[in-house]
Amino acid sequence: MRHFLTLLDLSPEELNWLIQRAIELKQLHKRGEVYEPLKNRVLGMVFEKSSTRTRVSFEAGMAQLGGHAIFLSPRDTQLGRGEPVEDSARVLSRMLDVVMIRTFDHEMIETFAAYSQVPVINALTDDFHPCQLLADMQTFAEHRGSIQGKTVAWIGDGNNMCHSYINAARQFDFHLNIAAPEGFDPAQFLLDENKDRVTLMRDPKEAVAGAHLVTTDVWASMGQEEEQEERARKFRDFQVSREMLDLAAEDVIFMHCLPAHRGEEISEDLLDDPRSVVWDEAENRLHAQKALLEFLLCQED
Ligand code: CP
Ligand code: NVA
């Protein structure tokens, strides 16, 4: 039994296989072929934070694979009324085949996984968002081929997405330039463990120079709403614009996990630029997570 709490839970070989499988499953789906290896299998989806893409991609993905998904909100489950995570994990995993969790503390999903009899998927914590990276790596592969040896620029907050980009740099073997304002660096242990692949900078222009992929995220993540104004001031010089992309490699592409705030972390017109691939990236959440579900649930097949 395997969990997917961070990108490090799969080997580089498994991750590369998964990306190729996601591309295949996408083609199969586009051809209208029915493929239902998860018939009678049920995914539980625990959401303690909002979601559009993650919820819809997991739910649609399970339906397309022949299975079923149950949306579990803390508002109407006992988890939200204080039932211990350990007990919830033991109970839910006796009824479900796989559980997906979006929550605040990363420790919560580690605890859940420790008490679960079925695979647990991290659908975003304060620390990591590995499912998004599967979609991002698939999107890069589709548009530009292998990301190995390329340069990626992360502009903005050293947040959960940035942390998953650091893990991706290690697993997919690319170089990551991070430009974050002082005080918003990614976790020091991740920088220390990945010194050979990650360079921390203060100047976004320097970070994007020669980059093959430029990416960013909101300045205030879910749970940081009250810091929004202060962050907007401190991140002012970190907006990604068309002019900034002009400093990158000739064939650069731009990604954003979405939702995006036009006029803040990206210029008003950036998503309309031909170098932006954000809609493909969003769609690929569906295909990449179908590949993940198949990997976690059909390993013996
Ligand atoms: N990118 C992403 O995870 O989007 P949602 O918050 O809409 O799920
Ligand atoms: N960093 C963002 C990502 C949203 C998909 C957040 O955690 O809110």
Side-chain angles (χ1 to χ4, degrees):
M1 208 246 304
R2 304 281 294 275
H3 298 301
F4 186 61
L5 305 189
T6 76
L7 287 175
L8 305 187
D9 285 331
L10 268 60
S11 68
E13 293 71 30
E14 288 171 331
L15 287 169
N16 279 304
W17 180 88
L18 206 83
I19 300 307
Q20 289 312 312
R21 184 64 182 150
I23 294 171
E24 279 169 27
L25 288 177
K26 181 174 182 174
Q27 289 161 354
L28 206 81
H29 183 65
K30 303 265 178 206
R31 288 200 300 269
E33 283 182 39
V34 176
Y35 174 61
E36 298 186 325
L38 301 189
K39 203 157 169 38
N40 296 324
R41 305 285 197 104
V42 183
L43 164 72
M45 306 192 298
V46 177
F47 277 100
E48 298 192 320
K49 289 178 176 175
S50 302
S51 169
T52 297
R53 280 144 289 270
T54 305
R55 177 180 177 180
V56 175
S57 54
F58 269 110
E59 197 162 333
M62 277 307 282
Q64 290 169 14
L65 293 171
H68 185 77
I70 304 175
F71 177 73
L72 299 161
S73 138
R75 266 193 299 279
D76 29 51
T77 58
Q78 301 291 3
L79 246 179
R81 296 182 58 248
E83 184 168 12
V85 173
E86 294 85 341
D87 296 358
S88 303
R90 283 185 277 224
V91 172
L92 287 174
S93 70
R94 283 174 178 235
M95 299 173 183
L96 299 165
D97 298 284
V98 53
V99 179
M100 180 237 82
I101 302 174
R102 169 168 285 197
T103 190
F104 295 85
D105 273 357
H106 190 73
E107 264 181 31
M108 184 273 197
I109 58 164
E110 289 179 337
T111 305
F112 195 107
Y115 287 86
S116 172
Q117 295 179 11
V118 300
V120 175
I121 298 170
N122 177 0
L124 183 145
T125 62
D126 288 346
D127 294 344
F128 295 101
H129 194 6
C131 288
Q132 182 67 51
L133 263 291
L134 296 181
D136 289 17
M137 294 299 102
Q138 178 187 348
T139 309
F140 192 90
E142 287 175 343
H143 282 269
R144 295 288 184 265
S146 175
I147 200 162
Q148 188 172 26
K150 303 277 186 189
T151 298
V152 176
W154 172 271
I155 309 300
D157 194 13
N159 63 11
N160 45 9
M161 275 297 299
C162 179
H163 288 170
S164 282
Y165 260 97
I166 295 175
N167 280 343
R170 171 168 171 172
Q171 298 291 72
F172 290 92
D173 193 18
F174 59 79
H175 195 87
L176 182 65
N177 290 338
I178 299 173
E182 235 171 303
F184 298 92
D185 293 350
Q188 191 59 46
F189 84 94
L190 284 172
L191 294 175
D192 292 344
E193 282 172 11
N194 296 285
K195 278 199 186 84
D196 52 335
R197 302 205 181 279
V198 179
T199 311
L200 181 63
M201 302 168 176
R202 296 287 172 227
D203 179 2
K205 291 195 182 83
E206 191 188 341
V208 299
H212 304 94
L213 166 61
V214 173
T215 186
T216 187
D217 188 11
V218 291
W219 291 339
S221 286
M222 289 182 276
Q224 299 173 332
E225 288 77 8
E226 73 290 348
E227 297 172 31
Q228 172 69 40
E229 269 180 42
E230 184 201 338
R231 283 171 171 262
R233 252 182 292 117
K234 293 188 169 154
F235 283 80
R236 206 176 37 213
D237 298 332
F238 288 75
Q239 183 183 83
V240 182
S241 62
R242 286 180 156 160
E243 294 69 34
M244 200 183 277
L245 291 189
D246 291 342
L247 304 172
E250 191 81 19
D251 61 349
V252 67
I253 51 177
F254 172 76
M255 293 191 203
H256 188 311
C257 64
L258 306 178
H261 293 185
R262 291 173 177 81
E264 292 183 27
E265 77 275 5
I266 54 163
S267 59
E268 294 286 346
D269 55 0
L270 190 63
L271 301 190
D272 305 316
D273 189 281
R275 293 168 289 188
S276 161
V277 295
V278 296
W279 313 123
D280 290 341
E281 179 191 6
E283 177 188 332
N284 284 340
R285 294 294 303 279
L286 171 67
H287 310 297
Q289 286 157 204
K290 283 170 73 179
L292 175 66
L293 289 163
E294 183 193 45
F295 175 85
L296 293 174
L297 293 176
C298 308
Q299 273 184 101
E300 303 85 9
D301 297 354

